Amino acid sequence: MAEHRSALSIVLIDDNHDHARILQWAFQQNGSRNRITYFDDGKSALDFLNSPACDEQGRPDLIFLDLNLPRIDGREVLRRLKGEENTVGIPVIIISSSDREEDVRKAYELGASSYVSKSAILQEFGSVVKTFQEYWSTIAKLPPRK
Amino acid sequence: MILNGKGECLLANDVALVLLGKKRSNLINQPLSKFIPSTQNVSFQSIKRGRVQTLNGSHGQTVFLHATRLAGGYYLVALAHQGGPSTSSKLWSFGKSTMALPEFFPLPGVEEEPNYRTLFQHSPYGTAVVQDERLVVANPMFCKLLGYRASDDVLGKEIRRFLDEGSRMFFTVLEQRAFRGETIPSRFETRMLRENGTSIDVEMTISMTAHHDVPALILSVNDITDRKELERRLTDSEGLLRNVVNSMVDALVITDLQGKVLDVNDEFERFTGYSRREAFGTEIPYPWVPEEDLRSYIGWLDKLRENNLLRDFDITWLRKNGDRIAVSLNTTLLRNSAGDPVLMVNIARDITERQISRTELSRQLQRLQVLYDLSRALTETFDTEEIARITYKQIEKVIPLDAFFIDLYDERKNIIHPIFTVDVVNGERREFDVRSSMMELDDTMATASVIKGRKPLLELRPEIPSQIRYTPFGNETQATASLMYVPMFSKDRTIGVLSAQSYTVDQYSQDHLTLLQSIANVVGIAIEKANLYQETILKSQEIEARNKELDDFTYVVSHDLKEPLISVEGYAKMLRHEYLQLLDESGREYLQSVVDSCAHMKRLIDELLQLSRVTKLAEKKVPLQLSTVLRDVLEELRFSIRERKISVVVHHPLPEVPAVDTHIKIVFRNLLSNAIKFSRTANPTIEVGAEVQAEGTRVFIRDNGIGIEPEYFDKIFMIFQRLHKRDEFEGSGAGLTIVKKIVEAHGGRIWVDSKPGEGSTFYFIIPNA
């Protein structure tokens, strides 16, 4: 049970390589079996999520998405994720360096499941990541895939 | 001639013989129709008067005939010479205004007819015949009247010597008229000279006759000295009264009870231009009472029935020449000895002068009103063009004008900016679009002398200078005849020129110029005020834009700063987790410093972000319970308060203020955090209270902490000003700046009062809504 709980398939989208690296490290701290697929722009992430390859390896359990992205902005990525049948069911957690109220509100309006400031993740990253993992793997059961 | 009922001539005088060209013997007992065929078978009664043709001479002669029926079926037929064959259609009136026939008739034939001689000799009238200016016949009465004993004393003498000097010319004129056959008064009064040199008043009748077939004048004279004397005496007392009436400075009109004019005085004639003769007999409506005043005038007269005397009725009279005059009327009712009203006396006083001063007063009042209206209207606008237009509309009310302009003067560039121009183009007054035009001030321009000389200018040309034509702003217009220019000042600078012009020659006086200058003074102030306002607006817009820019900049910078900081912090944490064993004691300390510095920098950045967001109040202000806000903030801070054993005293009740909830929370949080931070160990106390003042709600937060030196009272509100060493008191330095910004965003202000070592009190005011 514990094994299953910690084995999450995560997609991380963040153009800041340092942040991505630190976040990946933080997730691995709490379950080395988490599989993290990383994209540094929204376009390639969307392409992947709508590709047969993604279907083959199984859809991710969670998407961590930064708002400040090149080419396709994080908000647009979120809108598209929530507009596609393939991805509409995957919870999206916004990770942002901004804690501006309008950014948070906008994200929830677009269908984000959660919004966490990067500072908060780093401050208490252990507990935050743990909380996520527990919540999304045990409490919030995902709808069965078709 | 006297005819019997058959029309036969019974009597004929000499003139008749001359006119008909017959001797008396050929005429008597012959029918008149033998000599004047048109009278045949005609009843003389039906003829009465008219022109008839005689058979006298080869072509006949036109005479005037006048027939009067006498008692006993006789007819009196008078013939008169018309002065040769006449083609004139003018009828000769033979009536009462000309000769009196009964007196004219009996005299002829005096020498031939004994009956008439007797009559002549004993006539009560002085009778004489004048031929060639000399007396040829005179009866005893004539001699007696003039004081001569016998006719021999007067015969052969010139008639002139018997006439009063004043009557001679008159007599001569009448004589000439009589000989020409023209009409003369049948009877007139004149004066004659007596033998003893005295004069008598006589009533004289003159008529034409023939004496020995030569034309002559018959004078019939009646002594009227007694009557005259009586008349003179009567006139004297009447004259006295008339003199009094005429010397009155008021116009007088006497009417009967129906309003029919019986008399007026001299002043009335002078005053109204209507002569006594014209006024006499006039009935209501009088030509001198204007139609619109008639009703009230009649109403005025009606009141006389109840009052004997009515006073001071202001009415307008119309002079004969159409001028209007203001009149104050007093009317009285005159009664006869029995007490019955008989006459109305209207006394009218000319109050035009009084009216003029009243008019002058109202004119001055109107000017004051215009200046007042202008000042008031000008406070409502900051637009120079609008100022000019308002000015024009007001000036138009008090100064006649055809053209008007306001030019502004830029002293630095020596340039004139027209802001408003009205002129006549093709006979039509029109406003020009002058907004984009400007010109260099040329010393030959009239405006230049006004601007440089700083004095108003009045130019009166004898006529419209037709050779000068302007094409200002693309519209051809003609030069004016009367021109006024006045400078507009702001403090001691000339900021422009205002001009009013007219095509009417001599339209303006010094008075107009003074008025225009007064107006220009007001306008100058308004324009200066408008300019200042525009500058202020521009500046505040500039400041606002710059602030916005700064806020955006602060936001972007602090956000961007956050990104690498997150990396630094993250890597530091990674190091501590993965490589802690590889570091020695110093290395671990260094790593801890990196983590601490990151935390500090993050606070700085967060405060900067907060500061950048408190710009204009994006959120709406709501009525806010200060007690609730304070309770929430104290709850947040309860750990540090407890830790430092601070006693907090809140002076209830706290009022409600219009404010943004989250912002006021920041204010309390920052100020209370400061008070906690700078508290001392012994009996630390914080007091919070508020009171409503005129300016708004004043809140104070007082501590008994370390206090602030007065020189820093202002500095502490400036960003990143730190008064203390870092290790002494922790803090970013932006907290009070944020507080200040929030208070000011609410329209309030904040300040501090403090004594070092005793404590500080922060005050801030939030204005009422």
Side-chain angles (χ1 to χ4, degrees):
Chain A
M1 202 54 187
E3 295 284 297
H4 173 74
R5 190 191 66 195
S6 46
L8 283 175
S9 169
I10 295 169
V11 164
L12 173 64
I13 311 165
D14 191 338
D15 72 317
N16 188 320
H17 292 240
D18 288 325
H19 289 184
R21 201 166 158 191
I22 294 162
L23 287 169
Q24 286 185 57
W25 172 76
F27 284 121
Q28 271 150 10
Q29 286 293 303
N30 275 288
S32 51
R33 295 179 56 184
N34 286 342
R35 195 175 78 239
I36 295 173
T37 315
Y38 170 63
F39 298 95
D40 65 357
D41 73 292
K43 174 85 170 64
S44 38
L46 285 169
D47 287 348
F48 167 76
L49 287 167
N50 288 308
S51 67
C54 179
D55 278 349
E56 276 169 33
Q57 75 174 63
R59 297 232 176 92
D61 298 306
L62 283 174
I63 297 172
F64 283 82
L65 173 66
D66 186 20
L67 285 179
N68 192 19
L69 291 176
R71 288 164 71 190
I72 302 176
D73 181 68
R75 290 164 198 83
E76 178 60 18
V77 174
L78 177 59
R79 203 183 59 74
R80 288 194 196 176
L81 285 173
K82 292 298 158 190
E84 289 283 338
E85 205 190 321
N86 284 339
T87 51
V88 67
I90 310 171
V92 177
I93 296 159
I94 301 297
I95 43 167
S96 172
S97 50
S98 162
D99 51 5
R100 206 158 54 159
E101 217 181 291
E102 58 254 46
D103 288 339
V104 178
R105 196 173 55 236
K106 182 78 182 166
Y108 280 117
E109 277 170 18
L110 288 171
S113 296
S114 190
Y115 188 108
V116 193
S117 89
K118 281 177 178 176
S119 311
I121 295 175
L122 289 172
Q123 288 284 314
E124 306 289 336
F125 69 88
S127 57
V128 170
V129 171
K130 200 170 160 197
T131 306
F132 278 135
Q133 277 193 293
E134 282 181 2
Y135 181 79
W136 292 111
S137 59
T138 61
I139 301 165
K141 289 285 183 197
L142 298 182
R145 288 178 201 165
K146 286 174 186 172
Chain B
M1 293 179 290
I2 290 188
L3 311 182
N4 60 17
K6 295 177 189 164
E8 291 161 352
C9 186
L10 303 178
L11 261 169
N13 72 357
D14 288 354
V15 182
L17 301 180
V18 171
L19 286 176
L20 297 176
K22 299 289 173 195
K23 286 185 180 167
R24 186 164 281 110
S25 51
N26 295 334
L27 200 63
I28 298 302
N29 296 323
Q30 298 296 320
L32 186 64
S33 57
K34 201 174 173 184
F35 317 104
I36 303 174
S38 59
T39 60
Q40 193 167 15
N41 301 325
V42 169
S43 157
F44 285 103
Q45 198 171 1
S46 69
I47 294 177
K48 283 187 179 163
R49 67 185 67 163
R51 257 180 329 167
V52 291
Q53 198 76 14
T54 66
L55 296 175
N56 184 21
S58 56
H59 297 98
Q61 208 171 6
T62 303
V63 295
F64 285 99
L65 179 147
H66 187 249
T68 311
R69 194 166 191 266
L70 301 174
Y74 295 100
Y75 287 99
L76 173 68
V77 171
L79 298 177
H81 175 59
Q82 204 222 353
S86 174
T87 53
S88 165
S89 63
K90 190 176 119 193
L91 280 175
W92 186 41
S93 169
F94 213 77
K96 56 186 175 183
S97 66
T98 55
M99 289 182 242
L101 286 172
E103 282 152 347
F104 164 80
F105 190 75
L107 298 174
V110 282
E111 283 135 286
E112 287 90 5
E113 303 288 335
N115 284 346
Y116 289 112
R117 180 181 297 273
T118 311
L119 185 61
F120 176 73
Q121 290 294 338
H122 296 94
S123 168
Y125 296 99
T127 307
V129 176
V130 177
Q131 200 168 45
D132 290 336
E133 310 260 306
R134 285 169 197 278
L135 287 172
V136 289
V137 176
N139 74 352
M141 193 58 192
F142 186 89
C143 300
K144 192 185 167 196
L145 277 177
L146 298 180
Y148 296 94
R149 265 175 291 125
S151 57
D152 288 349
D153 295 339
V154 296
L155 292 179
K157 292 188 171 139
E158 280 186 312
I159 181 68
R160 293 171 56 85
R161 61 176 291 181
F162 303 108
L163 293 170
D164 183 83
E165 205 172 338
S167 307
R168 283 176 195 162
M169 180 62 85
F170 180 60
F171 184 83
T172 309
V173 169
L174 286 180
E175 188 183 20
Q176 286 167 357
R177 289 175 65 92
F179 275 110
R180 284 202 300 269
E182 292 171 20
T183 58
I184 53 170
S186 62
R187 206 179 292 193
F188 54 90
E189 288 174 9
T190 186
R191 286 169 82 81
M192 295 190 82
L193 284 174
R194 287 168 63 93
E195 199 250 344
N196 61 10
T198 60
S199 59
I200 54 163
D201 287 298
V202 295
E203 187 178 67
M204 187 184 281
T205 308
I206 42 178
S207 49
M208 283 291 293
T209 186
H211 184 69
H212 299 301
D213 293 340
V214 176
L217 282 177
I218 297 173
L219 310 183
S220 176
V221 178
N222 183 24
D223 181 5
I224 55 165
T225 310
D226 292 349
R227 198 182 89 202
K228 271 304 212 192
E229 181 55 34
L230 190 66
E231 269 181 17
R232 207 166 284 136
R233 256 192 255 147
L234 277 171
T235 329
D236 277 355
S237 60
E238 203 180 82
L240 181 69
L241 199 62
R242 174 146 291 284
N243 277 339
V244 170
V245 164
N246 278 345
S247 62
M248 282 171 69
V249 292
D250 298 326
L252 187 96
V253 184
I254 298 171
T255 71
D256 65 17
L257 295 179
Q258 279 68 48
K260 187 173 175 181
V261 176
L262 302 177
D263 203 357
V264 297
N265 69 348
D266 288 355
E267 179 60 18
F268 176 88
E269 294 185 306
R270 191 197 64 77
F271 190 48
T272 61
Y274 289 104
S275 68
R276 179 173 282 121
R277 184 199 283 267
E278 285 170 312
F280 182 78
T282 316
E283 292 174 36
I284 296 171
Y286 305 128
W288 55 85
V289 176
E291 218 177 303
E292 64 269 23
D293 277 1
L294 203 60
R295 184 188 289 268
S296 61
Y297 179 65
I298 291 169
W300 166 258
L301 292 181
D302 278 347
K303 286 194 214 149
L304 263 187
R305 292 194 184 129
E306 294 141 38
N307 307 289
N308 267 345
L309 171 64
L310 294 176
R311 282 185 185 282
D312 301 331
F313 175 53
D314 284 0
I315 190 176
T316 303
W317 272 12
L318 210 54
R319 292 181 62 118
K320 199 178 176 186
N321 66 8
D323 287 351
R324 280 166 182 272
I325 33 179
V327 162
S328 175
L329 206 60
N330 289 297
T331 305
T332 63
L333 212 52
L334 286 188
R335 294 169 189 275
N336 63 14
S337 48
D340 299 323
V342 284
L343 296 172
M344 288 195 291
V345 180
N346 290 282
I347 298 169
R349 175 158 294 179
D350 180 1
I351 53 166
T352 311
E353 292 290 318
R354 205 164 85 198
Q355 293 288 95
I356 283 173
S357 67
R358 214 184 279 171
T359 312
E360 172 66 17
L361 189 69
S362 71
R363 195 170 63 99
Q364 294 293 353
L365 276 175
Q366 193 195 10
R367 289 176 166 200
L368 268 179
Q369 185 70 42
V370 160
L371 273 171
Y372 171 73
D373 287 349
L374 187 64
S375 314
R376 212 185 37 183
L378 292 184
T379 58
E380 283 161 15
T381 179
F382 291 111
D383 177 62
T384 48
E385 206 184 311
E386 185 63 21
I387 288 174
R389 191 167 292 115
I390 290 169
T391 306
Y392 166 66
K393 292 210 171 110
Q394 291 293 339
I395 285 181
E396 225 187 358
K397 292 185 193 166
V398 282
I399 296 177
L401 53 82
D402 294 312
F404 175 85
F405 69 74
I406 291 182
D407 287 355
L408 293 187
Y409 176 58
D410 184 334
E411 200 174 4
R412 210 161 37 81
K413 296 180 189 156
N414 196 39
I415 277 176
I416 290 279
H417 293 270
I419 55 168
F420 187 81
T421 297
V422 164
D423 208 335
V424 172
V425 177
N426 301 326
E428 193 189 325
R429 205 193 290 179
R430 205 198 288 170
E431 186 185 324
F432 296 161
D433 184 4
V434 294
R435 271 168 297 182
S436 55
S437 57
M438 60 168 82
M439 58 197 120
E440 199 164 324
L441 186 64
D442 177 347
D443 279 349
T444 60
M445 291 159 73
T447 45
S449 72
V450 176
I451 286 170
K452 299 273 167 70
R454 304 169 55 80
K455 284 209 169 62
L457 174 69
L458 173 64
E459 190 181 344
L460 296 173
R461 297 165 174 162
E463 59 188 15
I464 298 172
S466 53
Q467 74 279 10
I468 310 175
R469 297 193 83 82
Y470 299 115
T471 49
F473 320 109
N475 298 279
E476 189 179 86
T477 181
Q478 211 177 338
T480 45
S482 302
L483 308 90
M484 295 194 285
Y485 300 90
V486 292
M488 294 187 294
F489 302 114
S490 164
K491 289 175 213 122
D492 46 358
R493 282 185 308 118
T494 310
I495 58 163
V497 173
L498 190 152
S499 176
Q501 308 185 4
S502 168
Y503 288 108
T504 308
V505 174
D506 283 334
Q507 179 70 274
Y508 302 132
S509 62
Q510 199 62 39
D511 190 38
H512 283 116
L513 196 65
T514 310
L515 175 64
L516 197 65
Q517 184 65 68
S518 314
I519 290 172
N521 292 344
V522 174
V523 178
I525 293 166
I527 287 178
E528 184 66 6
K529 192 190 64 177
N531 286 342
L532 280 175
Y533 178 77
Q534 297 296 350
E535 265 174 47
T536 313
I537 288 285
L538 279 179
K539 253 181 207 153
S540 66
Q541 279 171 351
E542 211 175 281
I543 289 169
E544 207 171 293
R546 217 181 281 165
N547 276 342
K548 176 83 172 58
E549 239 169 61
L550 191 66
D551 288 340
D552 290 349
F553 174 78
T554 311
Y555 178 77
V556 168
V557 165
S558 44
H559 188 266
D560 286 356
L561 281 173
K562 240 178 157 180
E563 298 258 332
L565 185 65
I566 287 166
S567 301
V568 171
E569 202 181 8
Y571 283 123
K573 292 210 164 172
M574 279 168 77
L575 268 177
R576 205 159 60 177
H577 273 83
E578 305 285 340
Y579 304 98
L580 200 65
Q581 288 75 20
L582 299 180
L583 295 172
D584 62 8
E585 193 66 20
S586 304
R588 288 176 194 174
E589 264 179 40
Y590 298 158
L591 188 58
Q592 187 55 46
S593 290
V594 170
V595 172
D596 289 348
S597 295
C598 282
H600 182 223
M601 188 166 176
K602 212 164 77 186
R603 269 203 307 279
L604 284 178
I605 290 170
D606 282 344
E607 285 190 334
L608 269 180
L609 279 169
Q610 210 172 41
L611 189 60
S612 73
R613 281 178 220 162
V614 188
T615 45
K616 282 263 166 190
L617 291 183
E619 296 164 72
K620 238 180 142 52
K621 290 192 266 186
V622 291
L624 204 61
Q625 283 295 338
L626 281 184
S627 50
T628 313
V629 176
L630 187 64
R631 196 191 57 212
D632 291 351
V633 174
L634 287 173
E635 179 65 21
E636 285 175 29
L637 298 169
R638 69 180 188 278
F639 291 111
S640 41
I641 290 168
R642 200 180 301 160
E643 192 186 344
R644 290 181 180 244
K645 297 188 173 63
I646 296 168
S647 51
V648 176
V649 180
V650 178
H651 297 278
H652 285 289
L654 294 175
E656 207 177 63
V657 295
V660 179
D661 178 59
T662 50
H663 287 184
I664 292 301
K665 268 191 181 141
I666 294 171
V667 170
F668 275 111
R669 190 183 297 128
N670 288 4
L671 289 175
L672 287 168
S673 299
N674 268 355
I676 293 164
K677 193 162 42 175
F678 297 111
S679 66
R680 288 175 308 170
T681 44
N683 303 320
T685 309
I686 296 173
E687 277 179 83
V688 183
E691 57 175 330
V692 179
Q693 298 180 327
E695 201 182 335
T697 301
R698 192 187 74 165
V699 181
F700 71 88
I701 294 169
R702 181 174 299 135
D703 64 58
N704 56 354
I706 59 169
I708 307 163
E709 295 281 352
E711 60 194 284
Y712 296 112
F713 283 2
D714 290 333
K715 268 193 173 174
I716 54 168
F717 294 106
M718 287 155 82
I719 194 162
F720 299 140
Q721 285 287 334
R722 180 175 276 280
L723 308 183
H724 310 281
K725 274 184 263 171
R726 188 178 300 274
D727 47 358
E728 231 178 331
F729 295 99
E730 193 194 350
S732 71
L736 285 176
T737 312
I738 294 166
V739 167
K740 186 169 190 269
K741 204 168 173 187
I742 289 171
V743 170
E744 284 172 359
H746 280 80
R749 59 197 178 92
I750 184 168
W751 70 98
V752 68
D753 193 16
S754 178
K755 265 187 183 167
E758 288 183 22
S760 308
T761 308
F762 283 84
Y763 298 94
F764 65 90
I765 290 177
I766 301 292
N768 303 320

